[in-house]
Amino acid sequence: MAAKYLKKENLVSWLQTLAKERLTLVPRREGDAVVFRPFAPGQDIPLDQQATTPPKAAVFPQCEPLLAFKYAKDPENPGKVGVQVKEKLGDTPSVVVGCRPCDARGFLTFDRVYDSDRASDLNYLTRRRNTLFATLACDEPASTCFCNWVGSGPADAEGSDILMVPVEGGFVLEPVTEAGEKLMEQAPLEDAGDKAALAEAVKENAAKALGEAPDLSQAREKLLSLFDNMDFWEGVSAKCISCGACTYLCPTCYCFNITDEQSGAEGVRLRTWDNCMSYLFTMEASGHNPRPTKAHRLKNRVGHKFSYYPDIHDGHIACCGCGRCIKSCPSSVDIRQIVLQAIAASAASE
Ligand code: SF4
Ligand code: SF4
């Protein structure tokens, strides 16, 4: 299918059609924040700004039941108690409409971890395969955006099923996957005509607005060479208050904790997002904590994304450049500056 044009006034009717078959998540304003919520007719859909939170929870909920369990006596052998386990899989067909290219691409960081030869996470995979992304290309990147530093761009379609490019009066829709094509068949579309050229101009201008990306090819080894330089890490983490906002808002942070909630003989096993910027994240049962200070924790956060993860995943950086950790940090810690300072610092010490 070629690119098509969707008039702005037809967006809601498309969403209504999608919502009949799929959980349809769209941006919604809640207080000062823009978050992804199920589409409801008559509500404002703020597409003109990057959402405060990414749509990470659509595939990796903040807290999800992985399984239910129940202890029961063996009727043949009443002295013995067995456990029955029932997996809980989120298999509702879903679509996220209006997230940004960096948001959809963020899931590729998850895929390399949870859908690999070494580990295959059934709960993650079930939601992942049931969730589609109709992504909105960025026409005006924010000052905090740096997707082009990490091999992406404001109209990157990798990880999306449809790329929607905003043009005057509506959107040019480009199918990326077969599933995306099928979603487009449900939209009241028109031939793109001269809007296709407008869409190309939007993409070009947005890419230009981001400016030139610095060369991060040395980041992996430079960060590693600073591993024991705690003066450096204490300096760059001095402002951090360990609030964890950067990890909770990050489309590529995939750490979790597991807890069992039990009442009587029945219970549920929950997976909940965890936060490596918290003191308790690495606290061991012995009382020893291998990351006792915020300097150790920020070193891990930056090092993981720009050095340790790329080291075991063919050079892929575990950051999609969305800039949310910069925008929402109460202390103005800027991950871009830390990476650049690391490259410069280790160069100076060579
Ligand atoms: S958001 Fe900022 S202050 Fe909070 S933990 Fe992250 S770097 Fe530290
Ligand atoms: S580290 Fe920051 S810029 Fe990178 S993906 Fe996470 S929130 Fe976005």
Side-chain angles (χ1 to χ4, degrees):
M1 185 192 278
K4 299 279 180 187
Y5 177 62
L6 176 71
K7 279 187 182 155
K8 208 171 253 172
E9 56 265 36
N10 286 334
L11 175 66
V12 166
S13 89
W14 183 40
L15 294 173
Q16 274 170 328
T17 308
L18 293 179
K20 284 181 194 150
E21 291 178 6
R22 296 181 165 266
L23 173 64
T24 301
L25 298 164
V26 294
R28 189 195 296 167
R29 219 176 291 283
E30 284 186 359
D32 290 338
V34 173
V35 295
F36 286 88
R37 294 284 184 251
F39 165 73
Q43 280 184 339
D44 180 38
I45 304 171
L47 289 174
D48 57 336
Q49 66 186 91
Q50 181 195 46
T52 316
T53 58
K56 179 163 76 170
V59 177
F60 193 71
Q62 188 158 6
C63 181
E64 70 171 326
L66 298 178
L67 54 88
F69 59 87
K70 188 175 175 183
Y71 292 102
K73 277 189 182 173
D74 180 350
E76 305 278 308
N77 184 359
K80 216 173 165 190
V81 176
V83 60
Q84 296 163 4
V85 173
K86 192 165 184 284
E87 277 163 348
K88 284 183 165 281
L89 299 175
D91 53 6
T92 307
S94 308
V95 58
V96 179
V97 181
C99 64
R100 300 300 171 127
C102 51
D103 295 335
R105 203 166 177 270
F107 289 108
L108 304 183
T109 296
F110 278 71
D111 292 345
R112 292 181 204 107
V113 177
Y114 293 145
D115 186 9
S116 75
D117 297 341
R118 288 186 298 177
S120 184
D121 185 312
L122 186 60
N123 297 77
Y124 172 78
L125 288 177
T126 306
R127 282 183 206 274
R128 179 74 166 119
R129 288 174 186 156
N130 277 295
T131 308
L132 303 176
F133 295 90
T135 297
L136 184 66
C138 301
D139 53 354
E140 282 181 41
S143 62
T144 43
C145 294
F146 62 105
C147 52
N148 60 335
W149 291 30
V150 293
S152 183
D156 188 349
E158 200 184 9
S160 300
D161 295 283
I162 299 174
L163 186 69
M164 302 167 62
V165 185
V167 293
E168 208 189 323
F171 311 91
V172 170
L173 268 57
E174 300 174 6
V176 182
T177 64
E178 234 174 80
E181 248 181 51
K182 289 204 177 109
L183 292 186
M184 279 176 60
E185 282 165 11
Q186 298 172 290
L189 299 172
E190 299 172 11
D191 281 339
D194 57 359
K195 304 285 186 195
L198 288 181
E200 289 311 309
V202 166
K203 290 185 200 174
E204 265 172 44
N205 289 339
K208 267 191 213 145
L210 274 175
E212 197 153 330
D215 177 10
L216 299 191
S217 59
Q218 301 296 307
R220 189 160 67 169
E221 61 194 57
K222 299 283 186 183
L223 281 161
L224 210 53
S225 73
L226 284 169
F227 191 85
D228 291 319
N229 186 340
M230 289 314 290
D231 286 345
F232 175 83
W233 293 107
E234 275 157 23
V236 295
S237 66
K239 294 188 290 184
C240 170
I241 57 168
S242 298
C243 67
C246 49
T247 55
Y248 286 126
L249 295 173
C250 177
T252 61
C253 279
Y254 54 78
C255 288
F256 61 81
N257 196 8
I258 299 270
T259 49
D260 284 352
E261 304 280 331
Q262 193 176 337
S263 170
E266 295 182 25
V268 65
R269 176 158 295 175
L270 299 174
R271 163 155 66 190
T272 312
W273 293 354
D274 209 340
N275 158 30
C276 65
M277 296 300 278
S278 146
Y279 176 73
L280 292 177
F281 184 79
T282 43
M283 175 64 100
E284 296 170 6
S286 65
H288 171 65
N289 193 337
R291 292 186 208 138
T293 69
K294 61 185 182 180
H296 289 90
R297 296 189 287 275
L298 191 60
K299 173 177 74 169
N300 174 69
R301 182 161 197 275
V302 180
H304 176 258
K305 290 188 179 297
F306 288 87
S307 182
Y308 326 145
Y309 181 104
D311 207 31
I312 57 170
H313 293 291
D314 300 324
H316 291 287
I317 293 173
C319 162
C320 58
C322 73
R324 285 189 179 88
C325 59
I326 304 164
K327 207 184 266 182
S328 297
C329 174
S331 308
S332 303
V333 174
D334 187 331
I335 196 166
R336 296 171 298 191
Q337 297 314 320
I338 298 174
V339 173
L340 293 181
Q341 278 180 47
I343 293 171
S346 57
S349 61
E350 275 162 10

